[in-house]
Structures are given as structure tokens and as C-alpha cells.
Amino acid sequence: MKLFISLLLVISMQSCMSQENKKTSHKNAFEVTKTNAEWKKELSPKAYYVLRESGTERAFSSPLNNNEAEGVYVCAACKTPLYKSESKFDSGTGWPSFDRVITGNVAFSKGGNGYMGIEEHCATCGGHLGHEFDDGPKETTGKRHCINGVALKFIPK
């Protein structure tokens, strides 16, 4: 009987350790990982602040807010395609807004403060992009992906 209880205890502990390892490895599961020093060398101070420190650029400060050209918006840090120009719309908020993402290339998490909606990250490098809200165009997805322009680079068609 003691042997059976000991065996159950060992199996239970291994299961808990396995679950904890999954949580930890998920946090660092980005394909592109660099040190803060490496990111600082590659990004402008404003891009570093937004992408690596979850900052927000000033509304109406990005030239991409008024961009109406055809093409693809990619992550400014790792060049992963994130949004297509046909999903961009003028939300009037002062930030580039999209009603859908390129599936699989954007990751979502709960924002740190309750009023900011769901946080969006590049699924390849983990860079902070902006937030998702449920006040987008009803005729499409109803979503508004409110994105910092400095987190994006535009590749024309």
C-alpha cells in the first residue's frame, strides 16, 4: 500500500512540474528572440518603447494612420506580415485600425489595465502592437485592431 501511495505521489508531482514547464516555455516560445540590448540597437527609441515596453504612441502621430495604398503591414521588428491593406479602415481614433489580422501571425493576451481591451502582439517576436476592441465595423468582423503605427512597416503591393 505504501508503495502504491508513493507511486501516486511521484506521478502527481511529475504532472505538476510538467504543467509548470509548459507555462514557462509558452512565455518564451517566440521564433525570434533577442536581448533588450539587441532590440535597442535595431529599433528606434520610439519603436523600442512601443514594441518591447508595451508603450503607446501619441494619437495622430503616425503617417500610416492616413495611408490608403494597397499592400501589407508587417511587424517593424521582425517583418512578419500582420495586416492586409484591405482590412484597414478609418476608426477616427488616431491610430491605424484594421478589422482583421493575418491569421496565425498575431497573438492576443489580456491587457495589464482593464480598460485597454485585449493586447495584441506579433506572434513571431512578441512585440507589442496595440489592442483589440469590439467596436469595429459591424458589416465585417465587428473588431477594431487599434495598432501603433511605429510597430508597423508598410510594404506596398
Side-chain angles (χ1 to χ4, degrees), residues 88-110:
K88 188 172 184 287
F89 68 97
D90 183 3
S91 66
T93 61
W95 289 278
S97 296
F98 305 86
D99 65 356
R100 67 204 91 148
V101 303
I102 295 177
T103 305
N105 293 356
V106 177
F108 302 89
S109 65
K110 298 251 183 204

Side-chain angles (χ1 to χ4, degrees), residues 81-143:
L82 303 170
Y83 311 95
K84 295 179 182 176
S85 60
E86 57 262 25
S87 65
K88 188 172 184 287
F89 68 97
D90 183 3
S91 66
T93 61
W95 289 278
S97 296
F98 305 86
D99 65 356
R100 67 204 91 148
V101 303
I102 295 177
T103 305
N105 293 356
V106 177
F108 302 89
S109 65
K110 298 251 183 204
N113 47 24
Y115 74 92
M116 285 303 293
I118 303 294
E119 203 168 341
E120 295 193 28
H121 305 272
C122 172
T124 302
C125 72
H128 169 77
L129 303 170
H131 297 88
E132 176 190 80
F133 299 95
D134 290 325
D135 60 0
K138 300 295 180 214
E139 60 277 3
T140 58
T141 63
K143 300 289 183 190

Side-chain angles (χ1 to χ4, degrees), residues 2-138:
K2 284 184 180 181
L3 181 62
F4 179 72
I5 292 174
S6 296
L7 186 58
L8 281 175
L9 183 59
V10 168
I11 290 171
S12 174
M13 287 175 61
Q14 285 179 336
S15 175
C16 289
M17 288 170 50
S18 173
Q19 290 299 324
E20 190 58 37
N21 286 340
K22 284 181 187 173
K23 289 179 191 172
T24 304
S25 66
H26 176 71
K27 280 168 62 172
N28 299 318
F30 298 111
E31 188 179 319
V32 175
T33 56
K34 298 180 183 187
T35 65
N36 285 336
E38 290 171 317
W39 284 122
K40 281 184 179 181
K41 278 184 184 176
E42 293 180 22
L43 300 170
S44 72
K46 191 187 279 188
Y48 181 85
Y49 169 68
V50 169
L51 286 159
R52 308 315 309 169
E53 296 179 334
S54 298
T56 301
E57 69 186 357
R58 212 175 66 250
F60 300 100
S61 66
S62 173
L64 293 179
N65 189 44
N66 296 319
N67 183 32
E68 295 181 8
E70 287 186 47
V72 177
Y73 294 84
V74 301
C75 175
C78 71
K79 311 304 182 260
T80 296
L82 303 170
Y83 311 95
K84 295 179 182 176
S85 60
E86 57 262 25
S87 65
K88 188 172 184 287
F89 68 97
D90 183 3
S91 66
T93 61
W95 289 278
S97 296
F98 305 86
D99 65 356
R100 67 204 91 148
V101 303
I102 295 177
T103 305
N105 293 356
V106 177
F108 302 89
S109 65
K110 298 251 183 204
N113 47 24
Y115 74 92
M116 285 303 293
I118 303 294
E119 203 168 341
E120 295 193 28
H121 305 272
C122 172
T124 302
C125 72
H128 169 77
L129 303 170
H131 297 88
E132 176 190 80
F133 299 95
D134 290 325
D135 60 0
K138 300 295 180 214

